[in-house]
Amino acid sequence: MKRLVPVLAAVGLVFAAAPAQAVTADQFVPYVDMTNPGMLDTAVSQHGVKAFTAAFVIGSGCDQIWGDTLPVGNDPATDGAISKAKAAGASVIISSGGAAGEPLAWTCTDQGKIDDGYQKIISSYGVTSLDFDIEGAAIADAAAAARQMTAISHLKAGNPGLTFSLTLPVLPSGLTGDGVNLIKAAHQAGVKVDNVNLMTMDYYAGNQDMGQAAIQATQHTLAQLQSVDSGYGYGNVGITPMIGTNDDNSTFSLDNARTVKSWADSNGIGRLAFWSINRDQSCSAFSPQASPTCSGVSQSPLAFADAFK
């Protein structure tokens, strides 16, 4: 996910065509930057957010740390925030990678340690879904992609019901060639990507309707997925915009959110999310650039969560 903080910080299976169903509360899983999860409690307790994506775990050699450098399973602030949200009834997806880091398969070449590292996330937080946000040069690393898919194959065998997502950069025209190659790597490993989550943000293509751009990106991506495996459907696709002001100074507005939510409901999209809960509030002063702590647009607190939920 496009990162804006100065520190490293640590997204349902439908294999056949099915009638479109509205995105449910459990399928709305906005990202939370766990270096600053202060708004998570309010989102869960007062705004009905029933699921979230905790970001980011990153690889450090053959170890894993949260973005604030503390180990997985031994980060009091992050672990406490996740536990509190789960106790209030929210489910969690743990996301690895991001723009400022890479998942373990990209930083470690020992397959056993990669498998064990991902299993530690599952065991430490009691999760049934993992997300892997792959960006930058990492997306073109074929050897790491092969290790990743081998690990996923092993994890699924050892954890019945486990799902995983690949969160990937996208353009209105669809995935990049490297993104398609990741889907092919999964297919070659005998793994189906449960959710291909699209970062519908930061296109650097000038002013455009960011809601319609997200829809176009999703439509084109589905065609690309089906060129690899005809069993993919909209239920295997996620949409994740960056709310408010994007890094390229484009704006994803509340009207865009409502448009995307309506279209997603009508087409049975498997996941809706956004970057990030931490930003779902107005800035205290005019902010001409994207901020890690506010949206840059006029809104009430957690208005984007309300619109998507």
Side-chain angles (χ1 to χ4, degrees), residues 281-296:
Q281 58 186 336
S282 289
C283 301
S284 58
F286 176 69
S287 177
Q289 296 180 331
S291 165
T293 57
C294 56
S295 67

Side-chain angles (χ1 to χ4, degrees), residues 27-104:
Q27 292 168 308
F28 171 54
V29 282
Y31 281 81
V32 178
D33 178 355
M34 299 309 293
T35 63
N36 181 29
M39 292 182 68
L40 174 59
D41 181 56
T42 302
V44 172
S45 63
Q46 298 180 31
H47 288 261
V49 172
K50 299 298 184 185
F52 66 101
T53 306
F56 289 104
V57 170
I58 59 176
S60 178
C62 286
D63 295 320
Q64 291 182 115
I65 57 175
W66 284 100
D68 56 10
T69 74
L70 293 175
V72 166
N74 192 24
D75 182 333
T78 294
D79 295 359
I82 291 173
S83 294
K84 184 176 182 180
K86 290 181 68 177
S91 61
V92 59
I93 298 171
I94 305 293
S95 184
S96 297
E102 298 171 332
L104 187 60

Side-chain angles (χ1 to χ4, degrees), residues 205-296:
N207 292 330
Q208 58 188 304
D209 184 317
M210 293 295 281
Q212 291 301 319
I215 292 169
Q216 291 167 13
T218 308
Q219 291 170 325
H220 286 117
T221 296
L222 179 60
Q224 292 170 311
L225 297 179
Q226 291 179 336
S227 73
V228 177
D229 182 341
S230 62
Y232 280 108
Y234 276 136
N236 301 108
V237 182
I239 304 174
T240 299
M242 181 175 176
I243 57 174
T245 304
N246 282 221
D247 300 284
D248 64 357
N249 290 321
S250 59
T251 300
F252 186 89
S253 68
L254 280 165
D255 282 344
N256 292 151
R258 297 181 187 104
T259 295
V260 170
K261 165 65 173 170
S262 177
W263 186 86
D265 285 348
S266 297
N267 288 275
I269 293 297
R271 179 176 298 176
L272 278 178
F274 62 72
W275 183 263
S276 64
I277 284 289
N278 316 67
R279 302 180 68 252
D280 198 0
Q281 58 186 336
S282 289
C283 301
S284 58
F286 176 69
S287 177
Q289 296 180 331
S291 165
T293 57
C294 56
S295 67

Side-chain angles (χ1 to χ4, degrees), residues 120-178:
K120 185 174 183 180
I121 296 175
I122 296 168
S123 301
S124 295
Y125 300 105
V127 295
T128 59
S129 188
L130 300 176
D131 175 55
F132 300 93
D133 183 316
I134 305 167
E135 305 182 40
I139 200 170
D141 189 336
R147 294 191 294 269
Q148 174 74 12
M149 301 314 167
T150 297
I152 293 299
S153 178
H154 294 165
L155 290 169
K156 280 180 168 283
N159 299 272
L162 178 71
T163 64
F164 85 107
S165 50
L166 295 179
T167 294
L168 302 174
V170 73
L171 296 169
S173 57
L175 295 171
T176 65
D178 290 327

Side-chain angles (χ1 to χ4, degrees), residues 15-28:
F15 293 158
Q21 296 179 347
V23 177
T24 67
D26 289 340
Q27 292 168 308
F28 171 54

